[in-house]
């Protein structure tokens, strides 16, 4: 480090302590040592001047302000929590009421409501993979014996309190929705019309199959492919026997 | 209860933070804005912001620079809203100091007035260095400029203070031409 570099550094960082700086200070005979002392005195003056006395009780006042804000926020939070709890209760009561009314005639209303919630699936055209089909049925504890053909959407969904596999098939370029209610017994098949949708409810394997479409033309094909997927083909059954 | 234990620990950390750094923060704030009331407000706002962000402080030794950074930003926000007028230099600054050591010339009040007279671009890095203990590199990172520029600002800040303190009379020819100590 030469004198110029030392002086520059001294002007910017008089309290510097690094080895090269200190070594030059201690060895220079061209006035750098004296300059360092002058800089230290100036620095001391600056430090003394900056050391103003803080107002008494500053920390305590800040802690008091913080504690007060905390209390106000806690009260707000409590009020908010009470409101949220009331709202939740109201929603719960409403849902319970809806659930009871839905159970009075459950499947058509619940299924159409669910279909509307996932209406995007009706526009899909690309077939889903066998892996997706196998996975979503397996999520409901159902092992497929064959792959249902023509499915463009599959998802394990809850419809009301029922665990279902939701599928959409394209039959003659029209979407047919199939909801397989696992473990739900249906005594006999029935057709229904609900909210502009044509529907069919029928027993299938260990559950209920509910089909929805603009009309019933594609129902037979979808029922056939799902029956085969769940129960296997006639040849398979015979072979197993 | 675990929840209250966690809150208690956080509160204790905050208490310690306030008691350890409130005074340093006040000094920094005071010299940044030049106003006692505003400085107290700044410190309070800084620490309340720190309370909200306390979980982001992981190293106790980094507390001071962390708080000073919050304070600077808080001040910058306030500065945009209200530009405070800096106090004028006292008339008695012109008193004859030629007979005393330049660094000892003038009272602390004169030094303080001189510091407040510094333009913010010189005063802020000086405060960060002297009160905050920041290095040139750290100041540069905080201010978003190069370390060389910070060194120049620090050099000029001290040069101006020295000029005020010695009234310009004791600067020798070399210092006058190079501005070096």
């Amino acid at each position: 480090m030469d004198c110029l570099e030392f002086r520059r550094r001294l002007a910017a960082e008089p309290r510097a302590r690094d080895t090269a700086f200190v070594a030059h200070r201690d060895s220079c005979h061209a006035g750098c040592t004296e300059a360092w002392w002058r800089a230290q005195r100036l620095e001391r003056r600056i430090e003394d001047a900056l050391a103003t006395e803080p107002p008494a009780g500053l920390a305590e006042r800040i802690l008091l302000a913080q504690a007060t804000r905390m209390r106000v926020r806690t009260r707000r939070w409590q009020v908010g929590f009470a409101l949220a709890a009331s709202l939740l209760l109201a929603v719960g009561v409403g849902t319970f009421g809806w659930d009871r009314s839905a159970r009075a005639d459950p499947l058509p209303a619940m299924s159409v409501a669910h279909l509307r919630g996932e209406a995007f699936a009706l526009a899909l055209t690309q077939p889903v993979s066998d892996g997706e089909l196998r996975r979503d049925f397996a999520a409901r504890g159902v092992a497929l014996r064959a792959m249902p053909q023509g499915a463009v959407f599959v998802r394990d969904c809850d419809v009301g309190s029922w665990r279902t596999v939701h599928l959409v098939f394209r039959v003659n370029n029209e979407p047919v929705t199939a909801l397989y209610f696992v473990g739900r017994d249906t005594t006999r098949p029935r057709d229904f019309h609900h909210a502009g949708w044509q529907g069919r409810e029928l027993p299938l394997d260990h559950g209920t199959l509910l089909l929805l479409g603009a009309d019933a033309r594609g129902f037979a094909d979808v029922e056939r492919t799902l029956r085969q997927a769940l129960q296997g083909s006639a040849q398979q059954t015979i072979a197993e026997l | 209860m675990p929840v209250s234990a966690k809150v208690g620990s956080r509160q204790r950390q905050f208490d310690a933070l306030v008691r350890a750094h409130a005074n340093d923060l006040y000094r920094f704030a005071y010299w940044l804005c030049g106003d006692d009331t505003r400085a107290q407000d700044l410190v309070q706002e800084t620490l309340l912001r720190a309370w909200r962000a306390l979980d982001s402080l992981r190293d106790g030794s980094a507390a001071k620079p962390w708080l000073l950074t919050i304070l600077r930003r808080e001040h910058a926000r306030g500065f945009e809203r209200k530009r405070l007028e800096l106090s004028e230099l006292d008339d008695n600054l012109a008193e004859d100091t030629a007979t005393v050591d330049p660094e000892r010339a003038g009272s602390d009040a004169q030094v303080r007035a001189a510091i407040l007279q510094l333009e913010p671009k010189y005063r802020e890095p000086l405060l960060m260095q002297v009160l905050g203990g920041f290095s040139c590199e750290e100041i540069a990172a905080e201010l978003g400029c190069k370390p060389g520029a910070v060194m120049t600002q620090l050099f000029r800040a001290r040069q101006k203070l020295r000029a005020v303190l010695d009234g310009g009379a004791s600067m020798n020819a070399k210092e006058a031409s190079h501005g070096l100590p």
Side-chain angles (χ1 to χ4, degrees):
Chain A
M1 180 177 280
D2 61 18
C3 290
L4 185 61
E5 192 182 347
F6 177 84
R7 296 294 182 100
R8 281 184 176 148
R9 183 80 190 282
L10 182 63
E13 294 182 283
R15 298 296 200 202
R17 291 284 180 277
D18 59 84
T19 313
F21 183 81
V22 171
H24 183 88
R25 178 197 69 188
D26 294 342
S27 61
C28 179
H29 301 291
C32 288
T33 305
E34 292 73 21
W36 183 85
W37 279 112
R38 281 198 302 276
Q40 299 309 302
R41 286 195 292 273
L42 175 63
E43 203 62 14
R44 182 65 185 271
R45 293 297 312 278
I46 294 172
E47 288 168 0
D48 287 349
L50 290 176
T52 50
E53 191 63 30
L58 176 65
E60 286 70 23
R61 282 203 302 281
I62 290 166
L63 288 171
L64 177 64
Q66 179 253 350
T68 307
R69 279 199 197 183
M70 280 290 292
R71 271 186 62 82
V72 170
R73 284 193 182 175
T74 303
R75 282 184 61 83
R76 281 185 192 154
W77 182 83
Q78 286 169 339
V79 170
F81 181 79
L83 284 172
S86 305
L87 188 65
L88 202 62
L89 186 65
V91 169
V93 168
T95 305
F96 179 69
W98 176 83
D99 195 45
R100 285 190 64 186
S101 67
R103 279 176 189 279
D105 184 16
L107 250 49
M110 284 195 301
S111 301
V112 169
H114 181 78
L115 181 149
R116 284 176 177 160
E118 298 197 350
F120 70 92
L122 300 175
L124 300 176
T125 56
Q126 297 301 312
V128 294
S129 68
D130 289 355
E132 288 175 283
L133 287 163
R134 204 174 280 118
R135 183 196 63 207
D136 288 344
F137 272 95
R140 295 309 192 201
V142 178
L144 291 174
R145 306 182 72 174
M147 287 304 129
Q149 301 301 308
V152 294
F153 174 80
V154 61
R155 183 178 290 172
D156 50 320
C157 297
D158 290 340
V159 178
S161 59
W162 293 103
R163 292 153 52 85
T164 76
V165 180
H166 177 180
L167 301 111
V168 176
F169 293 85
R170 290 204 82 85
V171 182
N172 299 325
N173 213 27
E174 289 294 326
V176 175
T177 298
L179 290 163
Y180 183 60
F181 292 79
V182 181
R184 185 185 187 280
D185 292 331
T186 297
T187 51
R188 58 185 175 82
R190 65 163 175 151
D191 284 352
F192 61 85
H193 193 82
H194 184 87
W197 291 90
Q198 185 64 43
R200 179 174 296 168
E201 180 186 340
L202 63 145
L204 176 60
D205 203 34
H206 301 294
T208 295
L209 178 63
L210 190 137
L211 301 169
L212 288 169
D215 54 51
R217 276 181 290 182
F219 288 178
D221 288 345
V222 174
E223 179 191 343
R224 192 179 312 111
T225 190
L226 281 173
R227 191 173 293 283
Q228 189 168 339
L230 294 172
Q231 297 178 334
S233 62
Q235 289 88 340
Q236 275 180 302
T237 308
I238 292 166
E240 284 169 8
L241 287 172
Chain B
M1 287 173 66
V3 172
S4 61
K6 187 182 177 187
V7 170
S9 145
R10 197 168 191 267
Q11 184 64 49
R12 278 198 300 278
Q13 186 188 8
F14 183 70
D15 283 12
L17 200 70
V18 171
R19 293 185 197 286
H21 297 294
N23 288 350
D24 286 343
L25 287 175
Y26 170 80
R27 289 189 190 98
F28 190 84
Y30 176 79
W31 289 108
L32 207 56
C33 69
D35 180 81
D36 170 62
T37 308
R38 172 79 184 126
Q40 292 189 48
D41 289 346
L42 265 175
V43 175
Q44 181 166 312
E45 281 308 310
T46 298
L47 285 163
L48 291 176
R49 276 185 185 274
W51 160 258
R52 291 194 287 273
L54 201 56
D55 293 337
S56 64
L57 177 66
R58 307 213 176 255
D59 178 7
S61 64
K64 187 174 175 183
W66 179 65
L67 290 168
L68 290 176
T69 299
I70 298 174
L71 192 147
R72 279 188 55 253
R73 288 175 185 166
E74 193 63 29
H75 171 254
R77 271 192 287 273
F79 194 74
E80 291 301 317
R81 291 193 294 267
K82 181 182 178 184
R83 288 176 178 271
L84 293 167
E85 290 183 6
L86 298 177
S87 56
E88 294 296 326
L89 274 174
D90 292 339
D91 291 341
N92 62 5
L93 263 183
E95 77 180 56
D96 182 11
T97 58
T99 57
V100 294
D101 183 27
E103 285 76 26
R104 298 306 304 175
S107 64
D108 277 351
Q110 286 175 308
V111 184
R112 288 169 181 167
I115 291 169
L116 283 174
Q117 282 289 95
L118 289 173
E119 292 171 58
K121 68 175 178 179
Y122 298 130
R123 188 168 71 240
E124 194 168 3
L126 183 71
L127 296 177
M128 291 173 78
Q129 186 186 56
V130 177
L131 290 178
F134 286 84
S135 68
C136 283
E137 286 75 18
E138 289 166 337
I139 295 170
E142 283 291 318
L143 299 180
C145 56
K146 292 180 178 174
V150 171
M151 288 187 77
T152 302
Q153 287 164 343
L154 289 167
F155 158 59
R156 292 209 174 127
R158 289 190 170 89
Q159 188 184 33
K160 285 169 187 284
L161 292 180
R162 182 186 292 274
V164 169
L165 290 173
D166 66 11
S170 65
M171 292 177 74
N172 62 32
K174 183 180 176 183
E175 287 168 346
S177 59
H178 299 290
L180 297 174

